[in-house]
Amino acid sequence: MASIAFLIAVIVATVVAPTLATDYMVGDSDGWKLGVNYADWAKGKDFYVGDTLTFMYKEGVHNVQKVNGPDFKQCKSTNSSNKALTSGHDVINLATPGKKWYICGIGEHCSNGMQLSITVQEPASAPAPTPKPWFTTPPPPSSSAIDISPLKSLVLMVAFIAAYKMIMA
Ligand SMILES: *[C@@H]1O[C@H](CO)[C@@H](O)[C@H](O)[C@H]1NC(C)=O
Ligand SMILES: [Cu+2]
């Protein structure tokens, strides 16, 4: 039962997630610290406008600086008007598409791995959304386009039922 629920959760994530804002916990349970490969963490993730990045770390030990490409390469911020985030729980809204670069500005932390570069994509809700392949069927000549929304609702409903059964088991 649990594996079916997991499978359904994965399907839900692939189908529904691109249209909803996602909060990414940078480094997942590791948070923002030394000894984590953030390029590996970012690999395979799709960041969209409207998503957020949350940097979790011990206040005072690290910080978060948004930098440009050249500064990222040399691991320091040359932009004095660009203040570091220092709360230990910094949430960054990904408001525009394109490449984004973040480093820790403390000591040599950046060159020791505390650097993250991501590419933010345009929102998934483009005028002509492409349905995911798994439910794409070749439309019969006379049929109209497949409406995704009811299908998504159905998938969500099934996922909730599966999750409920898993909890009750
Ligand atoms: C410097 O930082 C400010 C504030 O974040 C930003 O508006 C500006 O574009 C930055 N300049 C460069 C050259 O990155
Ligand atoms: Cu640091």
Side-chain angles (χ1 to χ4, degrees), residues 85-145:
L85 303 170
T86 58
S87 77
H89 183 170
D90 301 324
V91 181
I92 293 174
N93 181 31
L94 302 173
T96 57
K99 285 216 94 167
K100 314 284 165 187
W101 299 271
Y102 306 94
I103 63 171
C104 176
I106 309 281
E108 301 299 310
H109 292 191
C110 173
S111 46
N112 284 308
M114 293 190 70
Q115 46 174 278
L116 171 67
S117 90
I118 62 169
T119 302
V120 179
Q121 303 173 50
E122 295 282 1
S125 53
T130 324
K132 297 287 179 183
W134 69 271
F135 60 78
T136 306
T137 49
S142 62
S143 89
S144 57

Side-chain angles (χ1 to χ4, degrees), residues 67-68 79-83:
V67 293
N68 58 24
N79 185 346
S80 54
S81 59
N82 197 359
K83 289 218 160 51

Side-chain angles (χ1 to χ4, degrees), residues 32-34 57 61-64 103-110 114:
W32 184 234
K33 66 177 190 184
L34 289 164
Y57 54 93
V61 177
H62 303 292
N63 67 22
V64 180
I103 63 171
C104 176
I106 309 281
E108 301 299 310
H109 292 191
C110 173
M114 293 190 70

